Every structure is written in structure tokens, then in C-alpha cells.
Amino acid sequence: MRKDDLELVRTKDGSDTLLSNRFSAHYHSTYGAIQESRHVFIKHGLEYFVKLSPAFEEVKILEYGFGTGLNTLLSLSYARQTNLPIYYHALEAYPVEPNLLMRSNLGRLTGLDAAFHSIIRCKWQSPIEIDSGFTLIKDKTLFEEFVANERFHIVYFDAFGPLVQPDLWKLPMMQKIFSQLIKGGILVTFCAKGSFKRTLRSVGFEVERLPGPPGKREMTRAIKP
């Protein structure tokens, strides 16, 4: 994505996000980028799955929407705190210029500046061991064109919302994600739109409505039975 299409924006918890003028959308909640990511993807995604299925020696995460790298960074932080090996495959159709991301305060606020630098500057399309036990693949691809060669435990679905990219929230994409998860795998997302949850149920997911992060009433977690 062109650098001049994006603007750094300070959110209410003091952390930075990006505003895309192309899509007229923010990458994270303006109520707080870090607190939203921690609430939706770490607390109700990664932490929940590990408590539910502690026997896995490695957790495989597939992210739809690498964006600023924040969800990756917070997952790495969790891996460090718990000594949990993580294999992290991040998809991004429109990569952000690393120099722009380096101007954000996400690394500094999380105390992970060096890790953040490694995450946003590492090569695309190749597995990189960012940390001992944390392997990252950044995959530049349209979400619709991604073909998984393996199954994942968790999907972070962090595309722009249904009003911005409606096709990504419809039946074909959810069928695709259902097939990419192991049995017992989960999808987590900030979106709680009724039509989206009905689509998840029609695919075969068991859908949970959960309290959202600050500024948002609800979020969604879906489990593959």
C-alpha cells in the first residue's frame, strides 16, 4: 500500500494505529489499538485455546490481516511469557511500508522494540524464527487466493469490517476458513454483526457472543466442533 495512503493515528489508550484513506478505515479501534488486540485476539483467542487444549506442544495461528504487526507482536509476547512454541502464518494483501510502522509507538509501549523491528522488517514468503520457538511467515497474498497446506489451531480474522470489504465476511470465505482449522480450532474477530454470525453457523461453526473491547459492545468467537 502506498505510504501516502496511510496516516498514523493515536488511539485513546495511547497506542498508535493507521488510517487507510484508500479504504476510509482504521486498522485498529480508535478507542485503543493495543487493548483491542489483547482483548479480542490474545485473551479470547490464544489464551482461551491454550486453556481449552493445553496438550498441544505447538500452536499454529493463521492471521487474516497482518496490518501493523500488532497481533503478531502480542502473540510473541504471550509465547515468551508462557514458553509456548508458536507457528504464525500472517496474510496481508497490502503490506505497509516498514519505515512508517517504525514511526509508531507499538514496540515501545509493549516493551518489545527489538522484536517489533524484527517482525516488520523480516522477509516476506519465508519462514523466519523471530524468537526461540516463535516462527513467522509473512505471506503477501489476497485472502481469497490463499491456499493452506496445513491446518491451524486458531484463526485471527482481522480484515477491514464488512462495510469496507463485504466479500471477505461472506459464505465462501468462512467455508474456506472452516476447512483450514483443526477440529476444536477457533476463529476470533472483532466483528459481531448478526448476518456474519449466521453465516458462521451455516458453515458449521458453534458461535459465541462475547463482550467486546472498550468502545465495542460485542465480539465473536467461533469453534469448529
Side-chain angles (χ1 to χ4, degrees):
M1 191 173 292
R2 296 194 325 269
K3 184 176 179 180
D4 59 0
D5 172 64
L6 300 171
E7 300 175 34
L8 276 175
V9 175
R10 185 66 47 87
T11 66
K12 289 185 178 179
D13 72 351
S15 59
D16 289 338
T17 189
L18 291 172
L19 169 64
S20 169
N21 294 306
R22 174 180 179 176
F23 290 103
S24 298
H26 291 88
Y27 278 60
H28 306 286
S29 169
T30 56
Y31 285 87
I34 288 177
Q35 67 183 4
E36 178 193 40
S37 290
R38 280 180 172 152
H39 180 89
V40 175
F41 300 105
I42 306 304
K43 178 181 178 180
H44 290 299
L46 181 54
E47 286 185 6
Y48 171 81
F49 180 82
V50 171
K51 289 176 183 177
L52 196 69
S53 308
F56 287 102
E57 294 182 358
E58 179 185 60
V59 173
K60 294 183 177 182
I61 299 172
L62 174 62
E63 179 179 29
Y64 280 84
F66 174 77
T68 65
L70 178 57
N71 295 333
T72 310
L73 183 66
L74 295 179
S75 298
L76 183 147
S77 178
Y78 180 86
R80 284 185 176 180
Q81 294 166 18
T82 60
N83 293 315
L84 174 70
I86 290 179
Y87 173 86
Y88 197 106
H89 196 131
L91 311 180
E92 179 57 58
Y94 308 102
V96 178
E97 178 66 34
N99 288 338
L100 176 59
L101 291 176
M102 286 299 295
R103 288 169 43 204
S104 78
N105 63 9
L106 299 177
R108 177 173 58 81
L109 289 184
T110 55
L112 297 165
D113 254 332
F116 186 57
H117 185 279
S118 297
I119 286 168
I120 65 174
R121 291 203 178 277
C122 73
K123 293 180 179 180
W124 291 79
Q125 315 303 142
S126 300
I128 305 291
E129 190 173 44
I130 299 294
D131 228 13
S132 177
F134 191 94
T135 299
L136 170 64
I137 296 179
K138 295 193 304 186
D139 195 343
K140 182 180 177 181
T141 181
L142 293 173
F143 297 167
E144 302 92 328
E145 296 179 358
F146 173 66
V147 177
N149 296 317
E150 56 198 318
R151 297 294 174 263
F152 295 86
H153 302 108
I154 306 167
V155 167
Y156 294 170
F157 199 71
D158 202 15
F160 288 132
L163 293 177
V164 180
Q165 293 180 305
D167 289 346
L168 298 183
W169 300 83
K170 292 181 179 178
L171 185 65
M173 183 61 68
M174 294 308 113
Q175 288 175 324
K176 182 175 183 175
I177 290 174
F178 189 85
S179 72
Q180 291 167 346
L181 284 165
I182 65 161
K183 291 181 179 179
I186 63 172
L187 174 153
V188 281
T189 184
F190 60 87
C191 179
K193 191 175 180 180
S195 59
F196 169 62
K197 289 184 285 189
R198 289 191 292 273
T199 297
L200 290 171
R201 291 189 183 98
S202 73
V203 169
F205 281 110
E206 295 174 353
V207 178
E208 295 181 277
R209 184 176 63 186
L210 301 171
K216 191 167 180 60
R217 190 163 57 90
E218 296 177 353
M219 59 161 284
T220 301
R221 182 169 61 214
I223 302 172
K224 181 174 179 176

